[in-house]
């Protein structure tokens, strides 16, 4: 018997820039011309059926006019499309168009698009570069930093995927003005979550300026985009692979993701997260980590952002309890919750451990006691 040792040591620099502004399509073209992705000439634009006509089609036109080969690859808009089958459909369509390893993927859209396209880029040709052109507040808050890409399955959300960092991210605030009110509110849930977990001052800023956000005040919108990036980066830079601290970004998501799935995606991600935050603050109060006044302040801010704070009547609450076990924080069959300490901090259960084990009966009591709505 013999042994051959293979030494593979890598130092990887996955740094990238996030550019925030208005109407950044021409900026993206100039960056490509200036070598953002070296000498690549073929660009696969992955987008959804809504964003195709709003932004992606124009970007494809600009790339074509600049002399690049460009094709649109479009899937039906919505969380229901974030599946392994859609990923396979995108890959098959790219193969049929002759795309190989000498291409770059540009994701144009919200969080579903950037999640899916980033996953495709990580496996296509064993990895091709990609760029995120985010068109929603949700994508700006949740998908711009961190490199987590994934798809959903009937049994769990976001458990099939990989970490894959983009070449650059563009946050086009002008695109927010095309969002329906529900979609804007959905993005605000992740923004409020960031304030709850990391920055009480930012929480108060949102309380003071929510009306200006909802009317697309340019200075306020740019500020919240930058704050979302700052807060998420401060976590991700310390725990890129989610081995500990990064779990705090799942605040509200244990119940939120479960209710999103049980609703059969009738609720948008941010709407479900909002209800998840209401459940989480109830748990935090029960465990003595926040006061009732602090909990009510979180609920008031969610309401001010036009987000739901009660469980729809069509939700089966017992099914919701069981769906909690599909959460990625579950370990050894035990439910674990990230819990905030007041407003602006997260409870550290043990050194480097930020998810608290919770017995099913307590989780059930919290869910059963949540307010309902018609």
């Amino acid at each position: 018997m013999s042994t051959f040792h293979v030494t593979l040591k890598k130092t990887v620099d996955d740094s990238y820039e996030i550019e925030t502004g208005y109407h950044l399509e021409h900026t993206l073209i100039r960056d490509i011309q200036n070598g953002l992705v070296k000498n690549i000439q073929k660009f696969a634009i992955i987008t959804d059926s809504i964003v195709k006509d709003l932004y992606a089609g124009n970007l494809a036109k600009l790339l074509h006019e600049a002399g690049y080969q460009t094709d649109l690859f479009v899937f039906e808009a919505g969380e229901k499309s974030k599946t392994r089958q859609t990923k396979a459909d995108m890959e098959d369509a790219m193969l049929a168009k002759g795309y190989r390893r000498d291409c770059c993927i540009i994701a144009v859209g919200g969080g579903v698009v950037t999640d899916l396209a980033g996953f495709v880029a990580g496996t296509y040709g064993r990895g091709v570069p990609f760029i995120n052109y985010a068109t929603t507040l949700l994508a700006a808050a949740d998908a711009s930093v961190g490199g987590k890409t994934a798809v959903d399955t009937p049994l769990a959300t976001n458990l099939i995927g990989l970490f894959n960092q983009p070449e650059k991210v563009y946050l086009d605030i002008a695109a927010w003005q095309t969002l329906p009110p529900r979609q804007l509110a959905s993005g605000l849930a992740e923004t409020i979550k960031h304030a709850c977990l990391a920055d009480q001052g930012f929480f108060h800023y949102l309380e003071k300026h929510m009306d200006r956000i909802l009317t697309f005040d340019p200075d306020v919108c740019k500020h919240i985009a930058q704050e979302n990036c700052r807060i998420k980066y401060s976590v991700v830079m310390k725990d890129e692979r989610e081995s500990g601290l990064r779990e705090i970004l799942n605040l509200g998501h244990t119940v939120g993701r479960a209710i999103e799935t049980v609703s059969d995606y009738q609720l948008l991600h941010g709407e479900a997260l909002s209800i998840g935050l209401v459940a989480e603050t109830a748990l935090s109060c029960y465990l003595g980590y926040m006061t009732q006044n602090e909990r009510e302040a979180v609920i008031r801010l969610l309401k001010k952002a036009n987000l739901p704070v009660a469980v729809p009547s069509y939700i089966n609450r017992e099914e919701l309890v069981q769906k909690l076990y599909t959460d990625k924080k579950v370990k050894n069959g035990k439910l674990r919750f990230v819990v905030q300490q007041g407003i602006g901090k997260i409870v550290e259960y043990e050194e480097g451990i930020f998810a608290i084990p919770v017995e099913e009966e307590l989780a059930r009591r919290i869910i059963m006691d949540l307010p309902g709505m018609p």
Side-chain angles (χ1 to χ4, degrees), residues 191-241:
T191 301
I192 292 169
K193 179 205 76 174
H194 283 154
C196 285
L197 69 88
D199 194 326
Q200 187 180 64
F202 186 41
F203 185 91
H204 294 320
Y205 180 90
L206 294 173
E207 288 180 312
K208 183 178 179 180
H209 294 96
M210 185 58 69
D211 291 342
R212 293 173 65 186
I213 296 169
L214 295 173
T215 55
F216 302 104
D217 179 284
D219 292 335
V220 173
C221 287
K222 188 171 183 178
H223 179 70
I224 66 169
Q226 292 170 339
E227 286 298 284
N228 276 317
C229 292
R230 177 187 65 82
I231 290 170
K232 192 165 185 183
Y233 172 71
S234 69
V235 175
V236 171
M237 69 176 290
K238 298 173 185 174
D239 183 16
E240 182 187 357
R241 299 283 168 166

Side-chain angles (χ1 to χ4, degrees), residues 76-309:
E76 188 65 29
E79 186 79 22
K80 281 189 174 183
S81 291
K82 203 175 85 171
T83 64
R84 285 179 286 197
Q85 185 57 55
T86 304
K87 178 176 182 285
D89 291 343
M90 296 296 99
E91 292 162 342
D92 289 345
M94 287 175 61
L95 288 169
K97 286 281 189 178
Y99 283 81
R100 297 297 183 263
R101 298 187 68 184
D102 59 343
C103 74
C104 173
I105 290 173
I106 303 178
V108 183
V112 171
V113 173
T114 56
D115 267 12
L116 189 93
F119 192 10
V120 172
T123 59
Y124 195 84
R126 299 188 181 90
V128 298
F130 77 106
I131 296 164
N132 279 341
Y133 192 96
T135 62
T136 68
L137 173 56
L138 182 61
D142 195 36
S144 59
V145 179
K148 287 168 69 174
T149 70
V151 295
D152 302 333
T153 72
L155 296 178
T157 58
N158 290 330
L159 275 179
I160 308 298
L162 48 78
F163 291 94
N164 191 24
Q165 306 296 347
E167 300 299 312
K168 187 171 179 177
V169 174
Y170 299 83
L171 304 182
D172 192 340
I173 298 174
W176 298 3
Q177 298 180 43
T178 67
L179 295 173
R182 268 187 83 192
Q183 290 283 356
L184 179 64
S186 180
L188 283 169
E190 289 284 356
T191 301
I192 292 169
K193 179 205 76 174
H194 283 154
C196 285
L197 69 88
D199 194 326
Q200 187 180 64
F202 186 41
F203 185 91
H204 294 320
Y205 180 90
L206 294 173
E207 288 180 312
K208 183 178 179 180
H209 294 96
M210 185 58 69
D211 291 342
R212 293 173 65 186
I213 296 169
L214 295 173
T215 55
F216 302 104
D217 179 284
D219 292 335
V220 173
C221 287
K222 188 171 183 178
H223 179 70
I224 66 169
Q226 292 170 339
E227 286 298 284
N228 276 317
C229 292
R230 177 187 65 82
I231 290 170
K232 192 165 185 183
Y233 172 71
S234 69
V235 175
V236 171
M237 69 176 290
K238 298 173 185 174
D239 183 16
E240 182 187 357
R241 299 283 168 166
E242 201 169 22
S243 58
L245 178 65
R246 189 165 175 168
E247 280 192 324
I248 72 174
L249 296 175
N250 283 290
L251 181 70
H253 280 67
T254 303
V255 173
R257 277 294 190 184
I259 202 169
E260 183 180 10
T261 306
V262 173
S263 79
D264 195 28
Y265 302 104
Q266 292 181 65
L267 290 169
L268 298 177
H269 174 69
E271 293 172 333
L273 171 58
S274 178
I275 300 168
L277 287 170
V278 174
E280 175 272 323
T281 56
L283 177 61
S284 182
C285 277
Y286 178 86
L287 296 173
Y289 293 115
M290 76 185 309
T291 67
Q292 187 62 34
N293 285 340
E294 288 168 330
R295 179 172 190 252
E296 289 171 0
V298 174
I299 293 173
R300 278 197 306 270
L301 184 56
L302 292 168
K303 287 180 176 179
K304 200 170 184 180
N306 298 322
L307 285 160
V309 294

Side-chain angles (χ1 to χ4, degrees), residues 25 27-47 56-57 59-74 90 93-94 97-108 117 124 128-133 167-168 170:
E25 301 96 325
T27 303
L28 170 56
I29 301 298
R30 285 196 299 273
D31 286 346
I32 289 172
Q33 292 171 328
N34 292 331
L36 176 62
V37 288
K38 298 182 181 178
N39 62 347
I40 287 176
Q41 300 293 308
K42 299 169 70 173
F43 293 88
I45 296 178
I46 294 181
T47 190
L59 182 57
K61 177 175 175 288
L62 292 173
L63 281 166
H64 180 74
E65 290 173 351
Y68 298 102
Q69 178 182 330
T70 310
D71 290 282
L72 285 170
F73 300 90
V74 184
M90 296 296 99
M94 287 175 61
K97 286 281 189 178
Y99 283 81
R100 297 297 183 263
R101 298 187 68 184
D102 59 343
C103 74
C104 173
I105 290 173
I106 303 178
V108 183
Y124 195 84
V128 298
F130 77 106
I131 296 164
N132 279 341
Y133 192 96
E167 300 299 312
K168 187 171 179 177
Y170 299 83

